[in-house]
Amino acid sequence: MCGIVGYLGPQEPKNIIIDGLKKLEYRGYDSAGIAVIHDGKTKRVRAEGKLKNLEDKIVSEHFNGHLGIGHTRWATHGAPVERNAHPHQVGEISIVHNGIIENYLEIKEELLKKGAEIKSDTDSELVAHLIWEDIQKTHNLLQSVKNTLNKIVGAFSILVMWEKSPNELIAFKDGPPLIVGIGEKEFFVVSDVQAAIKHTKKFVYLNDREIVHINNGSVQFLSQKGDVLKKEIVTVDWSADQVEKMGYKHFMLKEIYEQPRAVAQAIAPYIDTDTHSVLMKNIGYDTAEMYKKIDRVFFIACGTSYYAAMVGKYLIEQIAKIPVETDIASEFRYRKPILPENTLVITISQSGETADTLAAIRLAKEHGAKTLSITNVAHSTIDREAMGHMYMNTGVEVGVASTKAFTSTLSLLNILAVQIAKARGGISPVSEKEIVKALLAVPSQMETVLSYDKYFNEAASKLGEFKGFLYLGRGVSFPIALEGALKLKELAYMHAEGYAAGEMKHGPLALIDEKMAIVVVAPSDDLIDKTISNLQEAKARGGKIISIGTGENAALKSMSEFYLSLPAALWTTNPLVAVVPLQLMSYHLADHLGYDVDQPRNLAKSVTVE
């Protein structure tokens, strides 16, 4: 997702904007740029590649204005070259844009007929043309923005400034997030609070088709029609050092190590530690009443969140005894889903801004379903759309490859399964206490696994010799195998596939030879013997086995090249502990190969367009 930073205030915009864009680097980008009103004219600098290339260009530049906009671009329309980098300038108008203008071909054709000179291959530049064309008639930036908003269709967040009005900044959105930071006589407009959190803790979240108008030291929020809106100012209590590496080589490694605390924070609001019971906390509706009435659960998510949802299916079906379906959001929204009466639709999104998941929750509401969101960002768009809310509560997750948000989600799904079962009278106090005690033990169990970190670092060179990896698991370990394979693909760019271990005979055996690593997630549970039997087939064909089991499992250890012992855990919490070594393995292998672990190629932290 592209990064956006706008600033209007007494400080030099260059420093504020560059610093803000650095905080958004984790999202993935291929070019960057900045534009500041300087001596009544727009001073614009853009560069291909990393933000450092832009910094090098402007290190000796001085900007004496107090209004500026900046951008890191992830290419959609047009190659990642300087002419396509933002900000785009047409006449006296400059804009930055995150998203996609769906009717850009019609707009472009109309502009070309009028003789417009289009200099980039982007859809974004066309918005600047529309505003510039209109402002020459209205001589009013706000009016021209409103007129332009009526002409564009798609998913977008846009900041606009005008040379003739150096104390005025306007932004509007429909889709991707846009947030206004309110400081002392200064204002920030950003795509993520991380870009401004060191300057202010007060933020206003824009809804779709809303406009923010900052002018001469005041701020006003408007509807598309121009009606004045009263918006809530949200205090975000993240500290600035939460987005720094704090001595770790990469954000991802820091976030792997933060997981014990993240899990503890996620479950704390929902557990009575004295009685070891789950609290029926109000999460936006009468929790117990809601869960009594539902007959079916749908999980909708993308990527890592989808694999968490798969674990949730096992938990809810086995603990609460009601049917669960899992759906990839991009498939759900287009397959004309049938949602029976009394269905609860649960969406999972770390950012709370994932475009397909957002569209899915809106579709579910149209069908009359009850909705519950699990996010890490309160007041995000998905959070605001949902009727019920649960929060991962992990703090900032910077690494593109999700780690602590995933494990926090798994812990919440344990809570959710017990809540549903408890509301319906389907779980005994003894079973409830067992699950709660298991959850409370997870942070210390994770600490034990993290102590093995150095072994993965040492093994990285040998792991890099394999031509590919097959990840296997059964039951709740199957989604963890899928997540392990995804992490290796994301970070190390190696062939990796996750399979249900029972599927080995149905194709994957053909891939196995002495250059293929078999990574098996096999903590002790009622399926362990069947998993070991599946492994015998792989070993007989030359596969090199890397196994993750419970304690000193002699059978598993004897057939493995590498064996990692996990602390004994309940089946419900095994996934939280077992995923940690898979994260460490992917991290160290990718780092050994010299790849950018925090910013994998071609990927973004939050996908806010289709």
Side-chain angles (χ1 to χ4, degrees):
M1 182 170 72
C2 306
I4 286 176
V5 181
Y7 176 75
L8 178 57
Q11 302 185 61
E12 183 173 356
K14 179 184 83 170
N15 299 330
I16 300 287
I17 292 168
I18 292 296
D19 183 62
L21 292 177
K22 284 180 179 178
K23 297 296 188 295
L24 303 181
E25 280 191 289
Y26 70 91
R27 291 164 168 244
Y29 66 101
D30 43 51
S31 61
I34 184 173
V36 175
I37 304 295
H38 173 81
D39 291 337
K41 294 292 183 182
T42 303
K43 193 171 185 178
R44 180 178 61 150
V45 184
R46 301 178 294 174
E48 294 178 34
K50 293 295 184 182
L51 192 56
K52 187 179 184 305
N53 298 339
L54 177 64
E55 286 187 273
D56 290 343
K57 277 189 170 185
I58 64 174
V59 65
S60 59
E61 294 278 359
H62 174 67
F63 298 82
N64 63 10
H66 297 287
L67 169 64
I69 55 178
H71 190 267
T72 48
R73 176 180 186 252
W74 196 46
T76 52
H77 292 73
V81 294
E82 186 173 319
R83 75 172 183 279
N84 291 328
H86 298 222
H88 288 287
Q89 182 178 359
V90 178
E92 298 166 356
I93 292 295
S94 294
I95 72 150
V96 292
H97 164 226
N98 175 20
I100 294 175
I101 306 301
E102 293 178 2
N103 61 334
Y104 82 101
L105 287 174
E106 296 95 317
I107 294 171
K108 185 174 184 178
E109 184 177 343
E110 183 180 338
L111 287 169
L112 289 172
K113 284 180 181 177
K114 295 178 180 177
E117 183 183 357
I118 298 173
K119 298 179 180 179
S120 75
D121 306 314
T122 71
D123 54 342
S124 307
E125 182 191 348
L126 306 181
V127 179
H129 277 279
L130 291 176
I131 296 173
W132 173 237
E133 179 184 66
D134 195 83
I135 206 168
Q136 292 176 81
K137 304 169 190 171
T138 66
H139 305 287
N140 182 300
L141 183 58
L142 179 59
Q143 186 58 52
S144 292
V145 164
K146 287 191 285 187
N147 293 344
T148 299
L149 185 52
N150 289 323
K151 297 177 182 177
I152 57 177
V153 176
F156 50 81
S157 291
I158 297 172
L159 270 64
V160 187
M161 65 182 194
W162 181 28
E163 285 180 359
K164 286 205 167 107
S165 189
N167 293 305
E168 184 178 23
L169 177 63
I170 295 180
F172 55 99
K173 64 153 286 193
D174 191 351
L178 206 55
I179 306 157
V180 181
I182 301 174
E184 292 293 328
K185 298 182 180 179
E186 60 183 354
F187 300 91
F188 310 81
V189 184
V190 294
S191 51
D192 192 312
V193 296
Q194 294 183 52
I197 194 70
K198 70 181 289 185
H199 304 287
T200 181
K201 294 184 184 299
K202 295 180 178 179
F203 294 92
V204 175
Y205 292 76
L206 291 188
N207 291 320
D208 289 348
R209 295 272 161 176
E210 289 183 352
I211 302 167
V212 57
H213 183 209
I214 303 168
N215 192 22
N216 292 314
S218 65
V219 60
Q220 193 174 53
F221 299 92
L222 307 163
S223 70
Q224 182 174 353
K225 294 179 179 178
D227 298 326
V228 177
L229 304 172
K230 187 174 182 180
K231 300 286 289 181
E232 177 188 6
I233 297 177
V234 176
T235 299
V236 177
D237 58 3
W238 293 345
S239 59
D241 65 359
Q242 281 185 279
V243 295
E244 301 300 335
K245 293 179 185 175
M246 298 175 68
Y248 288 91
K249 186 175 182 181
H250 296 96
F251 283 111
M252 182 183 176
L253 186 60
K254 169 178 173 278
E255 288 155 8
I256 290 173
Y257 271 83
E258 287 176 338
Q259 287 179 114
R261 183 178 64 186
V263 167
Q265 289 174 171
I267 64 176
Y270 304 100
I271 284 180
D272 184 328
T273 54
D274 293 329
T275 61
H276 293 114
S277 60
V278 167
L279 301 173
M280 301 300 287
K281 184 177 179 182
N282 189 311
I283 53 177
Y285 43 68
D286 186 326
T287 310
E289 276 304 306
M290 155 70 89
Y291 294 151
K292 283 178 187 175
K293 294 176 181 176
I294 60 172
D295 298 325
R296 182 180 298 268
V297 170
F298 275 69
F299 278 108
I300 303 170
C302 302
T304 287
S305 294
Y306 176 68
Y307 298 145
M310 290 178 68
V311 175
K313 175 182 173 70
Y314 287 97
L315 293 170
I316 292 174
E317 287 193 339
Q318 293 188 44
I319 295 171
K321 305 294 191 296
I322 61 173
V324 178
E325 294 190 30
T326 56
D327 242 314
I328 296 170
S330 56
E331 291 296 314
F332 176 86
R333 62 182 293 197
Y334 290 117
R335 70 172 176 83
K336 298 186 172 80
I338 297 171
L339 296 176
E341 191 177 356
N342 299 326
T343 292
L344 173 63
V345 173
I346 303 172
T347 55
I348 305 174
S349 169
Q350 186 278 143
S351 68
E353 302 293 350
T354 310
D356 287 316
T357 308
L358 175 59
I361 199 170
R362 287 172 172 167
L363 179 62
K365 288 169 70 177
E366 288 172 11
H367 281 71
K370 300 292 190 295
T371 56
L372 169 66
S373 68
I374 300 176
T375 70
N376 193 33
V377 183
H379 309 289
S380 57
T381 308
I382 290 172
D383 182 47
R384 298 197 304 271
E385 285 282 346
M387 300 172 183
H389 321 272
M390 295 182 82
Y391 299 107
M392 300 170 194
N393 203 23
T394 65
V396 180
E397 185 178 71
V398 173
V400 167
S402 181
T403 52
K404 62 178 181 174
F406 178 71
T407 47
S408 292
T409 301
L410 295 184
S411 67
L412 290 178
L413 293 174
N414 271 263
I415 297 289
L416 185 61
V418 175
Q419 283 183 332
I420 295 173
K422 192 172 181 177
R424 300 163 71 87
I427 188 170
S428 70
V430 173
S431 295
E432 179 182 0
K433 185 175 291 190
E434 183 184 26
I435 293 171
V436 171
K437 283 184 174 180
L439 268 176
L440 291 171
V442 166
S444 62
Q445 292 170 335
M446 283 180 158
E447 294 280 4
T448 300
V449 178
L450 287 168
S451 68
Y452 302 148
D453 184 23
K454 65 178 182 179
Y455 299 119
F456 289 101
N457 189 19
E458 293 167 0
S461 59
K462 192 161 187 177
L463 292 172
E465 296 173 2
F466 289 109
K467 71 175 184 181
F469 293 76
L470 288 178
Y471 287 73
L472 304 177
R474 297 189 79 131
V476 289
S477 296
F478 168 43
I480 301 306
L482 293 170
E483 169 62 8
L486 177 62
K487 282 290 164 285
L488 199 71
K489 285 182 276 196
E490 286 179 311
L491 299 171
Y493 315 143
M494 295 183 73
H495 170 250
E497 295 295 337
Y499 283 94
E503 284 290 287
M504 287 290 290
K505 293 178 181 177
H506 300 278
L509 278 176
L511 293 170
I512 294 174
D513 59 23
E514 67 281 354
K515 296 298 288 181
M516 179 67 71
I518 314 296
V519 182
V520 59
V521 185
S524 294
D525 56 21
D526 58 356
L527 295 172
I528 182 64
D529 292 336
K530 292 186 180 297
T531 304
I532 289 175
S533 176
N534 298 138
L535 280 181
Q536 296 285 8
E537 299 167 351
K539 187 171 179 63
R541 288 157 178 80
K544 304 301 182 184
I545 295 171
I546 301 167
S547 60
I548 298 168
T550 302
E552 293 303 309
N553 188 318
L556 203 54
K557 193 172 182 179
S558 66
M559 64 175 58
S560 303
E561 296 291 313
F562 302 98
Y563 174 74
L564 182 71
S565 170
L566 298 178
L570 195 64
W571 74 270
T572 58
T573 56
N574 269 330
L576 286 98
V577 183
V579 76
V580 176
L582 302 183
Q583 296 167 345
L584 289 169
M585 187 176 89
S586 298
Y587 168 81
H588 283 295
L589 181 51
D591 186 43
H592 170 75
L593 294 171
Y595 298 130
D596 188 338
V597 177
D598 288 331
Q599 299 175 44
R601 68 190 183 201
N602 304 329
L603 299 179
K605 182 64 175 173
S606 179
V607 182
T608 61
V609 293
E610 284 191 72

